Amino acid sequence: MLEIKNLHVKLADEDKAIIKGLTLTVPKGEVHAIMGPNGSGKSTLAYVLAGRADYEVTDGDIIWNGESIIEMEPDERAAKGVFLAFQYPMEIPGVAGLTFLRTATNSVRKKRGQTELTTPEFLKVVKDRASKLNIDFDMLKRPVNVGFSGGEKKRSEILQMAMLEPSLCVLDETDSGLDIDALKVVSDGVNALRSPDRAMLVITHYQRLLNHIVPDKVHVLAEGRIQKTGGKELALELEQSGYAEFQGKAA
Amino acid sequence: MMNVAVMKTKFEQSLTEQFNHVSARLPGGAAVGVARTAALGRFSALGLPNRRIEEWKYTDLRNALKEPLAVAVDDDTKVTVADLIVALGPLAHLEGPRIVFVNGGWRRELSNLEGAEGIEVAALGATLTAAQDKIGEALAGTTGPDNDAVLALNTAYMTDGAVVRVGDGIEVGKPLLLVFMRAGSEGRFVATRNVVSIGKGAAATIVEAFIGLPGSTAEGQHNSATEIHVGDNARVTHVKIAADTGKATHLSNWMVGLGAEAVYRGFQLNQGLGLARNQIFATYHGEGAKLDLSGLFLGRGAEHIDTTLVVDHAVPRCESRELYKGVLDGEARGIFQGKVIVRPDAQKTDGKQMAQVLMLSPDAEFDSKPELEIYADDVVCGHGSTAAELDTDLLFYLRARGIPLDTARSMLIESFVGEALDRIEHEGVREVVLDFARGWLSKLGR
């Protein structure tokens, strides 16, 4: 279970608070959506969960499986099962996709006390999972994300997620830059990973992703805190009414 | 400015004085003897280069090398084949003939020239002693600059090295390895010279390795020079691996002459050197030749690594490419000087130069000085230089995927240097260079 308690976050080198008292619980087996206007703190929340150093937690806590993670390094969190699918996956020139995937997969397996995959084992798994995401295997021989289209980058993120077998998946604007077909492939990939052992937090600005990845709960994030929580129908309401009613409130 | 007589340092004094004691034991006939004496005279007059000389302003040898050193002649330090294998490290697995020198002297028992088909290899000392004054004259008429004190010291004191010849049209598959090993408990001044001649339309890969025997003193100075003549239409890959333990001084000159339509690819790896100066002088003698110089320098602690290139486009329609990558940690200092001269007749010259450094520490320093001297009007020439830190966003991305910090850093550094390593065409040699670099990287932050 993910428990975010009264979380306050600011940029590490600025005093401006971005998240101001956010409280949220996501039990295992559930998918929760976070929706909100631009600048509400959605991406900040995603980065803080993954442990990006540019942000500083000034108050509150993040508990994952009963353990506070806010002091943990990003790789330590990944080993504990936290995975962030980036809104803008980065290009890594000179590092082949397969090398990257294998190093990442075996790093977390090692830390989780699992045996590392041998090259044939790894290749078998990666081929299988890549084909389910319509990823051409040859693409993985190329440097990570270099020259990939928006859709290819997002599918590559979901493949990484499938390989690392996380227990907490955070998807940051995974629908941005996707056409309808790509959206379906990516959503199917995510849905295939839904399981009773896994919690998911889907961050999105638009409702359309939630037609494909149907959430158990929807939270509205604005002004750095959760303003409203509801079922999947809340997403449809927001599509009609917009976020205006949650903005401009006194903090 | 007042003309002040400069006091000689102890090093300069000792190198001038030792000549009388050792010259009788240096190989070569009369012509070589004359060349040696003249070269010593030039060294005595010039002294070691210092910062007041433009080409040496970042690398003041006079200031850095003050301590006297005994010249290595007839060195008999005991080195076994097992020692050699240990010292070679990743190079031990490189398949091909090898010729081995210890402290500047040829070791027949450590060398293995079996399988050196199509390539003639001999030791320079023995060749000179056999009174082959033809080589002696070639040495006397060397192609390097005559005002270079480091090269003058080499000519004066060279004890040995490899004489390599590949006949016209012969394509040699396996790389030839020239090993120069530093061994023993006392630091020495060692001077070696290689003379390489690649025939018309021939092809060869030559690797020079400068390594230390583990357990030996870390001190010492190796002064090395290689003259290489690449015939018309010949293709050569020439790689230097200078990998030591962080204290030794490495002074090196490559003098490259290219025939028409020849392709020369030179690569230099520098790591674990206290002080290094790598000079390459390349001259085109025929049209349509291609030169590709690349390198990787890895520095930590107070190491100082200088690469200075002079590429002389003397004839039309030639191409030059330079790509150097550096990784600097601690207080290490890297220097890249790249001079490209395009003579008035050298129309249609195509030259590109790039030097890129990754700074792992705020106390590291990189000095870059590209120099284009263009006297022709129909040419394409460009140069660039960058110094950057590791990308923290990329580091976060890798770590968010569970990759530990050390591994993530190594992956990003490897990807940074990879572009330069890719310039090495011979796959086996490229793997060896990568292994050396990985060995260096694995000790980062420790």
Side-chain angles (χ1 to χ4, degrees):
Chain A
M1 187 155 77
L2 171 69
E3 299 161 88
I4 303 174
K5 297 176 176 169
N6 188 32
L7 189 69
H8 287 72
V9 177
K10 72 176 194 68
L11 279 171
D13 48 11
E14 270 178 56
D15 269 341
K16 189 171 174 275
I18 302 172
I19 292 179
K20 306 163 215 174
L22 187 152
T23 296
L24 179 69
T25 300
V26 185
K28 277 193 175 178
E30 290 192 10
V31 175
H32 287 202
I34 299 227
M35 299 184 71
N38 291 327
S40 58
K42 299 195 302 292
S43 280
T44 298
L45 176 63
Y47 283 141
V48 169
L49 286 167
R52 191 172 183 131
D54 309 49
Y55 301 97
E56 190 184 318
V57 173
T58 52
D59 199 5
D61 207 347
I62 302 170
I63 314 286
W64 172 239
N65 286 342
E67 200 178 1
S68 171
I69 61 169
I70 57 172
E71 294 298 328
M72 288 182 193
E73 296 293 330
D75 45 305
E76 217 177 329
R77 298 186 197 202
K80 299 273 182 193
V82 179
F83 182 94
L84 167 63
F86 282 61
Q87 183 180 2
Y88 303 109
M90 275 165 258
E91 300 187 357
I92 318 178
V95 176
L98 284 173
T99 309
F100 170 66
L101 276 175
R102 188 174 173 195
T103 309
T105 304
N106 279 339
S107 294
V108 298
R109 289 185 70 90
K110 196 173 162 187
K111 280 201 203 136
R112 291 174 191 162
Q114 298 165 311
T115 53
E116 295 182 42
L117 298 179
T118 62
T119 302
E121 286 169 346
F122 166 77
L123 286 175
K124 189 170 177 292
V125 177
V126 83
K127 269 182 188 160
D128 176 53
R129 292 184 188 171
S131 76
K132 283 185 182 142
L133 288 160
N134 284 350
I135 293 175
D136 180 7
F137 185 71
D138 283 339
M139 208 167 91
L140 300 175
K141 295 175 183 166
R142 288 166 34 196
V144 180
N145 291 330
V146 176
F148 286 17
S149 70
E152 287 171 334
K153 283 182 183 172
K154 293 298 169 77
R155 277 185 278 152
S156 156
E157 290 290 289
I158 304 306
L159 175 61
Q160 291 167 31
M161 190 160 100
M163 291 303 296
L164 295 184
E165 300 175 344
S167 44
L168 172 61
C169 305
V170 182
L171 285 77
D172 186 11
E173 306 269 1
T174 290
D175 50 334
S176 69
L178 294 187
D179 59 27
I180 288 295
D181 293 337
L183 184 64
K184 187 161 185 326
V185 173
V186 167
S187 303
D188 288 350
V190 174
N191 285 329
L193 292 169
R194 290 180 83 148
S195 103
D197 298 327
R198 209 165 258 152
M200 287 193 186
L201 200 55
V202 179
I203 294 170
T204 182
H205 185 82
Y206 300 104
Q207 181 267 339
R208 76 172 181 162
L209 177 67
L210 305 181
N211 289 334
H212 300 274
I213 305 171
V214 180
D216 297 293
K217 274 186 182 167
V218 174
H219 308 274
V220 179
L221 174 61
E223 316 262 305
R225 68 178 72 172
I226 301 298
Q227 306 282 355
K228 190 174 182 182
T229 294
K232 64 185 176 201
E233 65 288 348
L234 177 56
L236 289 164
E237 288 169 27
L238 288 166
E239 193 76 358
Q240 296 299 316
S241 58
Y243 296 111
E245 65 168 301
F246 305 109
Q247 288 173 289
K249 285 184 177 177
Chain B
M1 207 170 144
M2 235 175 21
N3 202 355
V4 185
V6 182
M7 285 267 287
K8 282 198 185 331
T9 64
K10 281 181 186 166
F11 175 85
E12 289 165 341
Q13 239 170 8
S14 84
L15 266 289
T16 300
E17 288 167 8
Q18 286 179 77
F19 191 69
N20 287 334
H21 306 296
V22 302
S23 62
R25 287 189 283 150
L26 294 167
V32 179
V34 169
R36 289 186 190 280
T37 307
L40 188 83
R42 286 200 298 281
F43 168 71
S44 293
L46 292 163
L48 279 179
N50 62 64
R51 64 180 181 280
R52 285 189 212 97
I53 300 167
E54 178 62 20
E55 290 85 350
W56 293 86
K57 71 173 176 180
Y58 299 116
T59 300
D60 187 333
L61 288 189
R62 192 160 196 273
N63 194 42
L65 307 174
K66 287 183 176 146
E67 293 308 306
L69 276 175
V71 174
V73 188
D74 302 331
D75 181 273
D76 59 0
T77 307
K78 191 173 178 298
V79 174
T80 64
V81 174
D83 291 337
L84 173 69
I85 299 301
V86 171
L88 283 174
L91 269 167
H93 306 294
L94 187 68
E95 228 183 287
R98 64 169 77 121
I99 182 164
V100 178
F101 305 87
V102 175
N103 293 341
W106 176 41
R107 295 295 174 92
R108 186 192 299 264
E109 73 283 4
L110 300 178
S111 305
N112 183 358
L113 294 171
E114 272 171 45
E117 287 131 17
I119 188 162
E120 295 166 33
V121 187
L124 178 79
T127 309
L128 288 177
T129 303
Q132 296 274 325
D133 264 345
K134 208 172 166 192
I135 281 184
E137 278 157 28
L139 290 175
T142 184
T143 49
D146 55 12
N147 62 347
D148 190 299
V150 173
L151 189 57
L153 266 183
N154 186 279
T155 304
Y157 283 108
M158 58 186 171
T159 49
D160 222 326
V163 180
V164 180
R165 197 179 154 272
V166 179
D168 291 352
I170 292 175
E171 297 196 3
V172 183
K174 287 178 182 166
L176 170 68
L177 178 58
L178 318 179
V179 180
F180 300 91
M181 193 200 285
R182 205 172 44 68
S185 53
E186 237 180 289
R188 301 276 181 192
F189 171 89
V190 174
T192 53
R193 171 81 59 106
N194 305 308
V195 183
V196 182
S197 160
I198 310 293
K200 288 178 184 170
T205 298
I206 295 167
V207 180
E208 296 181 27
F210 295 84
I211 50 176
L213 178 66
S216 298
T217 171
E219 311 287 340
Q221 184 178 137
H222 195 128
N223 182 319
S224 164
T226 298
E227 272 201 82
I228 177 160
H229 300 279
V230 185
D232 295 352
N233 297 102
R235 295 174 60 86
V236 175
T237 294
H238 186 192
V239 173
K240 176 169 83 177
I241 296 171
D244 213 314
T245 50
K247 287 231 172 119
T249 300
H250 177 80
L251 306 175
S252 148
N253 280 289
W254 278 8
M255 286 133 325
V256 183
L258 286 108
E261 308 288 335
V263 179
Y264 174 88
R265 305 172 77 90
F267 180 95
Q268 300 193 330
L269 171 71
N270 273 207
Q271 67 184 55
L273 299 167
L275 171 65
R277 167 84 166 190
N278 306 277
Q279 301 192 131
I280 301 180
F281 301 94
T283 306
Y284 298 86
H285 300 302
E287 294 189 25
K290 288 183 179 174
L291 173 80
D292 187 308
L293 300 178
S294 55
L296 172 60
F297 50 93
L298 305 171
R300 58 163 59 102
E303 293 167 11
H304 179 117
I305 310 168
D306 177 326
T307 296
T308 296
L309 314 175
V310 180
V311 175
D312 191 344
H313 284 271
V315 296
R317 282 199 319 112
C318 289
E319 181 186 289
S320 60
R321 294 285 180 274
E322 290 104 40
L323 176 65
Y324 278 75
K325 298 258 185 175
V327 181
L328 299 173
D329 198 8
E331 295 168 9
R333 191 170 178 197
I335 289 117
F336 178 82
Q337 305 189 106
K339 182 189 264 191
V340 177
I341 305 165
V342 182
R343 305 272 172 195
D345 291 338
Q347 301 294 3
K348 306 284 181 193
T349 289
D350 175 358
K352 278 197 190 70
Q353 183 178 94
M354 179 56 80
Q356 297 178 316
V357 166
L358 197 52
M359 310 288 273
L360 299 182
S361 143
D363 300 319
E365 182 178 332
F366 176 54
D367 302 288
S368 178
K369 193 178 80 172
E371 271 182 284
L372 302 183
E373 283 184 19
I374 303 176
Y375 303 103
D377 52 16
D378 184 14
V379 302
V380 181
C381 279
H383 67 83
S385 176
T386 63
E389 294 170 29
L390 271 182
D391 187 324
T392 51
D393 289 345
L394 286 183
L395 269 181
F396 171 64
Y397 190 47
L398 292 171
R399 297 184 75 195
R401 296 298 175 255
I403 299 172
L405 180 60
D406 283 355
T407 312
R409 279 166 61 102
S410 293
M411 285 174 84
L412 291 181
I413 296 170
E414 253 187 55
S415 80
F416 169 76
V417 305
E419 195 190 352
L421 264 54
D422 285 345
R423 298 290 185 104
I424 304 171
E425 273 192 329
H426 191 286
E427 194 186 344
V429 176
R430 188 170 60 240
E431 289 295 319
V432 167
V433 171
L434 182 60
D435 272 0
F436 272 103
R438 280 185 176 151
W440 187 89
L441 290 176
S442 72
K443 295 188 186 86
L444 272 181
R446 256 158 239 162

